[in-house]
Amino acid sequence: MSELNHVRIDKWLWAARFFKTRGLAGDAVSGGKVHVNGQRCKPGKEVKVGDLISVTKDQYTWELTVTDLNNQRRPAKEAVALYSEDQASIDKRLKQIELHKQQQALLHPSEREHKPNKKQRRQIHRFKQDAL
């Protein structure tokens, strides 16, 4: 795709569409959410083809291998070509997503169960008055 030798990690993460802005990508790198070849880095770290990148975002983790470099944000179909992800990482993230869905189902009842409608409120109000 490109003939670049290296690109800043914040630019690469933005171009690969892991973050909407370079600022968010830079904040994630500075905050220790991104590791290059197993080590924390700064937003100015240069990445090359073949580097291993670990990205943690919204409690999910991606283990990536850089396959191409681009310092411009392109369409999503082209952005996917910038990295490859091993199957173990995909399986792990899918398990995390499923676990999160199960936890949310247990913690938050549906809106219908939680908030009574007008008719139910009248019945509850009448029941409380009868009890007094």
Side-chain angles (χ1 to χ4, degrees):
M1 183 183 278
S2 67
E3 303 203 6
L4 298 170
N5 292 332
H6 47 78
V7 175
R8 289 173 54 113
I9 184 70
D10 59 345
K11 256 188 176 182
W12 187 87
L13 289 168
W14 169 71
R17 295 185 168 259
F18 282 96
F19 297 96
K20 284 187 175 185
T21 64
R22 277 187 59 196
L24 291 174
D27 291 345
V29 174
S30 297
K33 304 291 184 187
V34 178
H35 291 77
V36 177
N37 296 325
Q39 296 182 344
R40 281 184 68 167
C41 59
K42 294 182 180 179
K45 170 77 174 163
E46 303 284 339
V47 292
K48 303 177 291 271
V49 173
D51 283 347
L52 300 174
I53 297 177
S54 172
V55 180
T56 302
K57 180 181 173 190
D58 297 331
Q59 73 195 351
Y60 303 120
T61 304
W62 287 263
E63 299 292 334
L64 312 168
T65 303
V66 177
T67 58
D68 202 359
L69 300 173
N70 198 350
N71 59 1
Q72 292 182 336
R73 193 168 170 100
R74 306 290 302 156
K77 287 184 180 181
E78 292 179 29
V80 174
L82 296 178
Y83 60 89
S84 65
E85 184 177 13
D86 60 342
Q87 191 61 37
S89 174
I90 294 170
D91 294 340
K92 182 180 175 183
R93 193 172 59 259
L94 290 176
K95 286 179 185 176
Q96 289 173 334
I97 291 170
E98 185 61 34
L99 181 63
H100 181 71
K101 284 181 183 178
Q102 291 172 356
Q103 289 173 346
Q104 291 300 316
L106 292 174
L107 292 177
H108 301 292
S110 70
E111 190 65 28
R112 287 198 176 270
E113 295 170 359
H114 180 58
K115 185 177 179 182
N117 61 24
K118 254 185 183 178
K119 185 176 180 180
Q120 291 171 333
R121 284 194 301 252
R122 272 191 248 135
Q123 290 173 349
I124 292 170
H125 182 69
R126 285 186 195 147
F127 178 74
K128 286 181 181 178
Q129 286 183 346
D130 292 342
L132 296 174

